[in-house]
Amino acid sequence: MRHFLSLYDFTKEEILEIMELGIKIKREAKVKNYIPYLQHQSLGMLFEKSSTRTRVSFEVGIHQLGGQGLFLSSNDLQLGRGEPMKDSARVISRMVDMVMIRTYSQKILDEFAAYSKVPIINGLTDKYHPVQLLADYLTMIEYGKDKNPIVAYVGDGNNMTHSWMMLAGKLGFELRIATPKGYEPLEEIKNDAKELCAKSGGKVSYHLDPKEAVKGADIVTTDTWVSMGQESEKEKKMRDFKGFIVDMDLMSLAKDDAIFLHCLPAYRGYEVSEEVFEKYADVIFDEAENRLHAQKGLMVWLDKER
Ligand code: CP
Ligand code: NVA
């Protein structure tokens, strides 16, 4: 049995297998051919943080696969009143066929997985957001940007940055990360990325100047400066991130046919300008829709592995 806790645990071949399944299932779904690959299966969806895309895509996704999703908010569970995570894991995983969890620390997720009888999917932690990267990679494939792209990530060194680092390391492409000083990715992830790049031929570089990172890029991407759980740091971050907005001036340094990706939700006027956002809205919302298709591929893949 496999869990999907981080891209670190997956080989390039496995990531490609998940993509192929996602593409196939997307093609079928587009002509309303909903094949019940996971008939009668239940997906527990445990949320300790807010969500629009992750909740809707997993709930609709499991339904279209012939199963059902259970939205489990930690506020309404005994978990919220102090029942230990490992007990919740042992109860929930005896009743459902798969569990998706959105939580704070990766350790909580690891603990749940250690006690679970069924596959666990990381629906976002403070450290990683790997299901988002499956959708991003699917979008890269659809836009013809998956062959040795140069990707520039501009903004906060956060769960999205770490996940991009894992994808670049696994697939072997060039990723340039520009963050303000003090907001770099975690050292531990830098080391993992370095180790993966040595094997795959990928390259991850770190910059303090967004222009340096974006120059000649095929893909420019960013994320909110204030992730969930960091609300108290908002004012300081707004000051520290001055000059890190992806605006038309910055985008003009990328390749002429570059695309812009954003995992959403987007905060216009902060990490991205209104103009850039609207110019690339078609790509951004294809990316958002691809959450549904890529995750269906993932769930079917995980089911086949047990
Ligand atoms: N991108 C993403 O995960 O969105 P939600 O927080 O709305 O799920
Ligand atoms: N970095 C953001 C991603 C939201 C999808 C957060 O963790 O809030």
Side-chain angles (χ1 to χ4, degrees):
M1 179 180 83
R2 297 286 295 276
H3 299 299
F4 187 75
L5 307 179
S6 151
L7 289 172
Y8 186 82
D9 309 326
F10 281 71
T11 64
K12 177 176 180 171
E13 290 66 36
E14 288 170 341
I15 296 169
L16 292 174
E17 279 171 26
I18 295 167
M19 283 299 113
E20 271 170 32
L21 272 171
I23 291 166
K24 178 174 175 281
I25 295 170
K26 178 172 182 176
R27 208 179 301 127
E28 291 160 356
K30 286 289 171 189
V31 291
K32 302 269 182 273
N33 181 18
Y34 298 118
I35 300 174
Y37 295 100
L38 302 182
Q39 196 170 21
H40 303 314
Q41 295 204 25
S42 300
L43 173 74
M45 306 186 307
L46 178 48
F47 285 91
E48 294 205 275
K49 290 176 175 174
S50 310
S51 168
T52 298
R53 280 143 289 271
T54 305
R55 177 176 176 182
V56 176
S57 56
F58 271 108
E59 195 159 338
V60 171
I62 187 71
H63 174 71
Q64 291 181 352
L65 293 170
Q68 63 153 352
L70 283 91
F71 174 66
L72 306 167
S73 162
S74 56
N75 296 329
D76 307 325
L77 299 175
Q78 296 291 6
L79 186 66
R81 291 172 25 91
E83 184 168 17
M85 194 53 109
K86 60 183 181 183
D87 293 356
S88 306
R90 282 179 281 193
V91 172
I92 295 169
S93 75
R94 279 173 182 244
M95 299 183 187
V96 302
D97 303 282
M98 221 173 267
V99 181
M100 183 244 89
I101 306 177
R102 169 166 286 196
T103 185
Y104 291 88
S105 95
Q106 188 81 11
K107 283 202 181 76
I108 299 177
L109 186 75
D110 291 341
E111 185 184 24
F112 200 104
Y115 284 91
S116 172
K117 283 186 176 301
V118 298
I120 302 302
I121 298 172
N122 181 351
L124 181 145
T125 60
D126 292 342
K127 194 170 176 186
Y128 292 121
H129 194 5
V131 284
Q132 179 67 51
L133 267 288
L134 293 181
D136 292 4
Y137 185 38
L138 178 53
T139 312
M140 287 162 67
I141 295 171
E142 290 177 343
Y143 280 83
K145 302 284 180 202
D146 56 316
K147 303 276 179 282
N148 297 318
I150 299 176
V151 180
Y153 176 96
V154 177
D156 189 26
N158 63 15
N159 44 12
M160 278 302 296
T161 330
H162 296 154
S163 303
W164 273 108
M165 290 161 77
M166 290 300 108
L167 192 72
K170 288 289 174 177
L171 300 180
F173 61 79
E174 182 175 350
L175 172 66
R176 302 176 189 158
I177 297 169
T179 64
K181 207 166 170 34
Y183 295 97
E184 295 89 353
L186 291 176
E187 280 307 315
E188 162 203 346
I189 317 260
K190 282 188 183 178
N191 291 335
D192 286 349
K194 197 169 167 189
E195 168 213 311
L196 293 176
C197 286
K199 289 189 214 140
S200 67
K203 185 178 167 192
V204 182
S205 58
Y206 306 94
H207 308 259
L208 296 173
D209 178 1
K211 294 194 191 80
E212 214 176 88
V214 170
K215 202 161 177 276
D218 298 286
I219 297 168
V220 180
T221 185
T222 183
D223 182 20
T224 179
W225 294 340
V226 185
S227 286
M228 289 179 277
Q230 299 180 337
E231 289 73 13
S232 64
E233 297 164 44
K234 187 172 172 182
E235 258 178 59
K236 181 176 176 350
K237 286 189 121 178
M238 292 300 148
R239 286 194 302 273
D240 294 348
F241 281 74
K242 216 167 171 290
F244 278 76
I245 185 169
V246 180
D247 58 13
M248 291 304 268
D249 282 350
L250 189 62
M251 274 310 289
S252 71
L253 302 174
K255 288 207 181 112
D256 288 343
D257 63 348
I259 58 170
F260 172 79
L261 295 175
H262 196 308
C263 66
L264 303 176
Y267 299 89
R268 293 152 165 95
Y270 296 95
E271 77 273 9
V272 60
S273 72
E274 169 78 16
E275 218 180 343
V276 168
F277 189 89
E278 291 304 332
K279 179 174 175 193
Y280 296 96
D282 286 349
V283 192
I284 296 167
F285 292 106
D286 280 347
E287 177 190 4
E289 182 191 322
N290 278 336
R291 292 291 304 274
L292 171 65
H293 310 297
Q295 289 162 192
K296 284 166 79 181
L298 172 65
M299 288 189 279
V300 172
W301 189 91
L302 287 171
D303 185 55
K304 278 158 59 133
E305 288 296 306
R306 60 174 139 204

